[in-house]
Amino acid sequence: MDIEYLRTFKTITESETFAEAASKLGYTRSTVTFHIQHLEREFGFKLFEKIGRNMQLTQKGQSILPYVDNILLNYQEISKLSAQPEHKVRIAVIESFLACKFQNIIKEVRRQLPDVELDIQTNACSAMHKVLLAGKADLAIHYDVWGHHPYIRTEPIRNYSLVLFGSRELGTRSFADILNDAARPISFIDLEENGFYRQCLEPLLPKCQEFHLNTIVMGSVASLIECVKSNLGIAVLPEYAVAREIKKGTIQPLDIELQPKRIPLAISYHKNKWLSPTLKTIIRIIKETTTSHP
């Protein structure tokens, strides 16, 4: 059913003739007649009857008038709502990016969309698809390392260098010496079990049954870095996440080439998600701000 047909019906009830209704609506007389005939076929009863020279509502036409009023009123309210920008946008962000890079994005969103409220949540990369599929977030910023989903649209943003690092107490020993030090067994500290960072290191580990590098799983980037500083293990993160600590000398990069060397950052959303003007603006801000800052 076309909402315009109901609007035509309502306008006729407020007019003396079909011709007057047509003039109010900017239609021809034949268009108004067509709208009413279409409604009558759909409803299965006559809406108007000719009494003398005038067209008047039938009894059934009179009975549906309150419902038509409600439909048109609700449609008007929906139209108003759709014209307004969203007041809340939910974004799932990986913690390392949230802690080190997201502040510039928030500043730019505040400048361009001052009325929009940002609801930020942190999730592991491996959980981002589930979050979007469940409708718990409108957008997700994550590392594109866990493959693609047919219902999720993913757009690349940029690549970041990875670094393997340890405490300054490790000194200048080689990676092999660190692994082979039986007196001081080393652990790998990761953000999630069987995570991507451990996979980057796996090709570089000795291929022997006796060797085992155990893993400590920490829930946050800050906690992970503190554990490395305390010489509890080594870890892999994007270089930007540890650049400040490396510069301060509290941790040090280990001289070894990871596989891969870089990690891709991406933005994702459900492929059926309607990208409103607000969401499109935020996606643009995320891309432009991320690519323009080191």
Side-chain angles (χ1 to χ4, degrees):
M1 182 186 301
D2 193 320
I3 196 73
E4 292 301 322
Y5 297 168
L6 296 179
R7 190 173 284 115
T8 297
F9 170 73
K10 173 66 175 175
T11 303
I12 293 172
T13 65
E14 298 169 342
S15 307
E16 294 291 334
T17 63
F18 276 32
E20 181 183 340
S23 177
K24 289 180 180 178
L25 293 166
Y27 294 151
T28 63
R29 173 70 168 75
S30 60
T31 299
V32 169
T33 301
F34 171 80
H35 287 184
I36 298 304
Q37 289 174 343
H38 186 93
L39 287 176
E40 289 176 338
R41 285 195 300 271
E42 190 161 345
F43 292 151
F45 53 79
K46 297 287 287 183
L47 295 173
F48 294 93
E49 57 186 352
K50 192 170 185 179
I51 299 179
R53 300 176 113 186
N54 299 321
M55 297 295 290
Q56 295 186 5
L57 277 171
T58 63
Q59 186 174 354
K60 287 187 176 179
Q62 187 69 43
S63 67
I64 71 165
L65 189 55
Y67 300 107
V68 172
D69 286 340
N70 283 334
I71 291 172
L72 292 175
L73 180 60
N74 289 334
Y75 182 81
Q76 182 180 9
E77 292 304 312
I78 291 172
S79 297
K80 290 179 182 178
L81 185 62
S82 64
Q84 297 174 354
E86 295 94 333
H87 291 292
K88 179 182 288 189
V89 175
R90 302 163 302 161
I91 307 178
V93 189
I94 48 173
E95 190 192 3
S96 58
F97 190 82
L98 178 63
C100 304
K101 295 288 187 180
F102 205 70
Q103 294 75 20
N104 291 323
I105 292 172
I106 294 176
K107 289 178 183 177
E108 195 59 29
V109 171
R110 283 282 169 268
R111 187 181 72 82
Q112 297 189 33
L113 301 168
D115 296 329
V116 171
E117 177 183 344
L118 294 179
D119 183 353
I120 309 300
Q121 54 184 278
T122 58
N123 291 94
C125 283
S126 57
M128 288 300 189
H129 285 174
K130 292 181 180 179
V131 169
L132 292 173
L133 291 170
K136 295 180 179 179
D138 302 305
L139 303 171
I141 301 175
H142 60 98
Y143 299 123
D144 189 15
V145 295
W146 293 110
H148 294 172
H149 190 284
Y151 292 105
I152 302 296
R153 181 169 285 114
T154 299
E155 300 180 16
I157 303 178
R158 67 175 293 177
N159 293 327
Y160 286 106
S161 296
L162 290 170
V163 60
L164 173 68
F165 60 98
S167 76
R168 60 184 178 183
E169 294 180 37
L170 294 177
T172 58
R173 291 183 298 163
S174 69
F175 181 59
D177 287 342
I178 292 170
L179 293 180
N180 294 327
D181 189 346
R184 302 177 64 184
I186 198 77
S187 297
F188 184 76
I189 307 175
D190 208 344
L191 293 174
E192 53 184 312
E193 190 174 359
N194 298 318
F196 171 78
Y197 297 128
R198 170 69 188 236
Q199 294 177 20
C200 293
L201 190 62
E202 204 67 37
L204 307 176
L205 299 178
K207 299 297 187 291
C208 58
Q209 293 182 349
E210 293 80 12
F211 179 81
H212 176 69
L213 180 66
N214 65 13
T215 301
I216 301 173
V217 177
M218 302 300 300
S220 73
V221 171
S223 298
L224 181 152
I225 293 174
E226 288 302 315
C227 285
V228 173
K229 288 165 64 175
S230 299
N231 202 28
L232 296 177
I234 58 177
V236 173
L237 281 177
E239 190 172 13
Y240 71 76
V242 292
R244 185 178 302 175
E245 295 294 336
I246 290 175
K247 186 176 182 179
K248 288 164 58 178
T250 58
I251 59 176
Q252 62 180 357
L254 302 179
D255 187 16
I256 191 167
E257 190 172 287
L258 294 169
Q259 301 175 15
K261 302 177 183 178
R262 300 170 71 82
I263 190 168
L265 186 77
I267 186 167
S268 293
Y269 47 90
H270 197 290
K271 74 170 189 176
N272 294 330
K273 179 74 178 177
W274 178 61
L275 294 184
S276 65
T278 297
L279 280 180
K280 287 181 179 179
T281 299
I282 290 178
I283 291 173
R284 176 182 55 78
I285 290 172
I286 291 170
K287 289 180 177 180
E288 291 179 354
T289 305
T290 302
T291 55
S292 63
H293 286 78

